[in-house]
Amino acid sequence: MSGNIRLLTDTLAAAKAEGRSALVAYLPAGFPTVDGGIEAIKAVLDGGADVVEVGLPHSDPVLDGPVIQTADDIALRGGVKIADVMRTVREAHQATGKPILVMTYWNPIDRYGVERFTAELAEAGGAGCILPDLPVQESALWREHAEKHGLATVFVVAPSSKDKRLAEITAAGSGFVYAASLMGVTGTRESVGTQAQNLVERTRATTELPVCVGLGVSNAAQAAEVAGFADGVIVGSAFVKRMLDAPDDAAGVEAVRALAGELARGVRRQV
């Protein structure tokens, strides 16, 4: 069974052909429940997201700010397992036909087994993984199995990355490059800053891969700003916050559907 890296690359290329950025949304699996999380992800895709990153909840998330940490804690207290993450990927992809990635730290994959994880993700219809804490120089085993199973390997670059390091990271990656617009953890920001555009330009000088920007985008105006220079706009904490602030699960699903619609207009610069 082969994964859906081709669907991911075709989706990003189609957005570019339309003269816009892709909208990449993030929500953790198992939040607020496994079933509720699947419904929320389907709503985000139906609302206008092109791609979804399904977070694998982790007890010590080094990249994630307090909003996502709160959601992860709810999911972990609910007993979410890797099998639930795979089910989330499968059902979201089957319902929408859109590319679904998993965003995860390395430790859970290492403990689960690289071959087992990649085989199951491909079987579920996954498009690949974003691995924020896996050093490129230690990634050969992962990349071997990901390539065998047709999965993208998305690495994260940061404003602190030197040009030589950027070239090493982008040469090893596939699917797209995740450009962290700010130093620090995830979370909504008042502005997305000027570092992001500079990082995109420096990253593009090293690769033909699309460069998608995350960390800080929370509304349509910011999405439009980032869409002016990036191939994709990644939004996570804003979706999670809508779910956390909702009075019940059904209202949360509708809230993230509405936000996806607003952000979809933003990446098309219809604000």
Side-chain angles (χ1 to χ4, degrees):
M1 175 67 71
S2 182
N4 271 314
I5 185 173
R6 180 64 183 271
L7 177 62
L8 174 65
T9 56
D10 286 352
T11 298
L12 294 171
K16 185 175 183 179
E18 293 174 16
R20 67 174 179 88
S21 287
L23 175 59
V24 182
Y26 167 96
L27 279 169
F31 167 71
T33 62
V34 176
D35 288 343
I38 291 168
E39 290 309 307
I41 288 166
K42 291 194 292 189
V44 164
L45 288 163
D46 291 341
D50 299 289
V51 180
V52 158
E53 304 170 9
V54 174
L56 195 162
H58 194 274
S59 58
D60 186 26
V62 296
L63 186 72
D64 299 312
V67 171
I68 290 175
Q69 285 185 32
T70 298
D72 277 5
D73 186 58
I74 290 168
L76 291 168
R77 287 174 185 272
V80 70
K81 302 287 192 293
I82 287 178
D84 299 314
V85 177
M86 298 298 178
R87 180 185 154 212
T88 300
V89 171
R90 178 181 293 106
E91 295 192 16
H93 173 64
Q94 288 178 346
T96 65
K98 292 186 177 182
I100 314 293
L101 298 134
V102 169
M103 185 164 186
T104 178
Y105 297 98
W106 179 244
N107 182 257
I109 295 177
D110 191 40
R111 290 175 63 92
Y112 197 71
V114 176
E115 168 60 24
R116 181 184 178 194
F117 190 94
T118 51
E120 290 183 8
L121 182 57
E123 189 277 329
C129 262
I130 301 163
L131 301 160
D133 67 340
L134 177 63
V136 168
Q137 63 270 24
E138 298 175 18
S139 67
L141 178 66
W142 164 266
R143 287 186 285 126
E144 174 191 339
H145 288 288
E147 187 172 342
K148 180 172 78 170
H149 290 291
L151 299 169
T153 298
V154 179
F155 288 115
V156 179
V157 298
S160 59
S161 302
K162 305 295 188 212
D163 290 350
K164 181 174 182 291
R165 181 66 175 160
L166 286 177
E168 292 171 355
I169 293 170
T170 59
S174 56
F176 65 90
V177 182
Y178 187 127
S181 66
L182 300 148
M183 299 302 293
V185 296
T186 59
T188 61
R189 304 296 202 286
E190 291 301 312
S191 68
V192 293
T194 57
Q195 291 184 106
Q197 185 165 1
N198 176 260
L199 177 58
V200 169
E201 290 169 358
R202 292 196 300 119
T203 304
R204 280 192 177 140
T206 72
T207 184
E208 295 296 314
L209 290 173
V211 183
C212 302
V213 170
L215 303 198
V217 174
S218 61
N219 58 49
Q222 290 175 344
E225 179 187 347
V226 174
F229 58 82
D231 299 299
V233 180
I234 302 170
V235 182
S237 294
F239 282 114
V240 175
K241 190 169 189 307
R242 291 279 180 110
M243 295 282 290
L244 288 169
D245 290 348
D248 55 53
D249 293 355
V253 167
E254 292 313 308
V256 295
R257 189 193 310 275
L259 178 59
E262 295 166 22
L263 294 166
R265 290 189 290 277
V267 297
R268 291 166 175 81
R269 284 170 274 183
Q270 297 170 348
V271 293

